[in-house]
Amino acid sequence: MNPRRRFLRLLAACGLGWGLGGCASGRYRRGTGSGQVVVVGGGHGGATAARYLKLMNPDLTVTLIEPRDTYLSCPGSNETVAGLKDMGTLVRSYDSLRRELDIKKVNAQATRLDRPRRRVVLADGAEVPYDRLVLSPGIDFRWDAIEGYDEAASRTVPHAWRAGPQTAMLARQIRTMPDGGLVLITAPANPYRCPPGPYERASLIACYLEKYKPRSKILILDAKTRFSKQPAFEQAWREHYGDMLEWISSEKQGRLERVDAAARTVETEFDAFRADVLNVIPPQKAGALAEQSGLTDTSGWCPVDPLSFASVYDSAIHVIGDACQAGPMPKSAFSANSQAKVCAAAVVASLAGEPPPEPLLINHCYSFVASDEAISITGVYGYSRNDGQLETRSTGETPPGGDRKREAIHARAWQRSFRADVFGY
């Protein structure tokens, strides 16, 4: 049986709808008891956690700390870069969480955790107490990893790995680039947020250039020797873009050594390249609050108990999403959503004095390769009987020559249902 069919059969065996994102060995029971649960970070992981905590136990007091009034979704941002969507389509509101579930939204920056006293300290000095804390801080960048590329350099040479002004800057640079120019994307080594993201971005930029600037070229300099969904991506590139798009692995060019943002040049161990549009995606680590709070290890990410996503350094703090170490699970919005539900169930059980359920976790990721074509990869993850860590149970991906137009229809439907599952509308 092919992996994709095996994956779908496993979903059916779980009784799983796409909106749920994970399943347990038994149905989740609505929690009892009360408690103060604070969620820091209002992205896909944090918003899902806040929402499902209240759905699982309406008696909980749930506070979501997030400085932004609205969230800008990274899924979909590559379509914005390529002119297929406008920035407004990325906006996500917290209104439904506040209005329908009575989740308290605090518009403030969490600057410090007082772990002994179980307090979140805000920028203005105010403190928010918690019985359990769910931390979803996302990523920060390793600004010291590439010579010449720091936060100041990113103001002219965008990474666009957070949706917002960086997305708009990269889109604007592509629009104003002359026909016949070079777009150069540097992709980091694993792990990083959204493993297929650089290759979807290259695909959609090529889609734009083919239509408006057909003499142009895209070059991907990769710190890896292979990448997610590679056979399906490369098949689509050959069919649609020919010689316009070229991928160069680290085996051929070696390590990226330095960037000159002013000259828009990069140097590898073996060569130098000058671009008209330079998009440097730097290596990453867990968000600053996690690092400052002593929740990261030498890898820069947060080790957790995979059954509850409780930090190995503090059992009252649960870390989900891109910031945590979740074994084979990639750092993606769907993974964060799935982890948030498992975490919410574990928190509800813990406050009721019960053990956490043992679920399966899921990742499902679509990537557009053209305006009306997409490919996908799926994974189901369970717990090893040997060491209790997460392991891959089943995987599947779009094969080369698969029905990419049908996948695009599914991708659009997923975007709508995923927004509703995370933000409630």
Side-chain angles (χ1 to χ4, degrees), residues 80-91:
T80 300
V81 168
L84 300 174
K85 289 183 173 181
D86 61 49
M87 289 289 291
T89 63
L90 305 180
V91 175

Side-chain angles (χ1 to χ4, degrees), residues 17 31 58 92 132 149 178 213 368 374:
R92 303 290 181 264
R132 296 290 185 276
Y149 193 72
K213 303 172 192 273
F368 280 89

Side-chain angles (χ1 to χ4, degrees), residues 117-145:
R117 295 174 58 238
R118 295 193 181 183
R119 298 287 191 274
V120 178
V121 182
L122 307 181
D124 64 0
E127 297 183 351
V128 182
Y130 62 85
D131 296 307
R132 296 290 185 276
L133 172 66
V134 179
L135 188 61
S136 188
I139 59 163
D140 265 334
F141 299 106
R142 296 181 179 271
W143 292 120
D144 58 349

Side-chain angles (χ1 to χ4, degrees), residues 180-192:
L182 173 66
V183 178
L184 195 156
I185 301 170
T186 71
N190 293 322
Y192 61 95

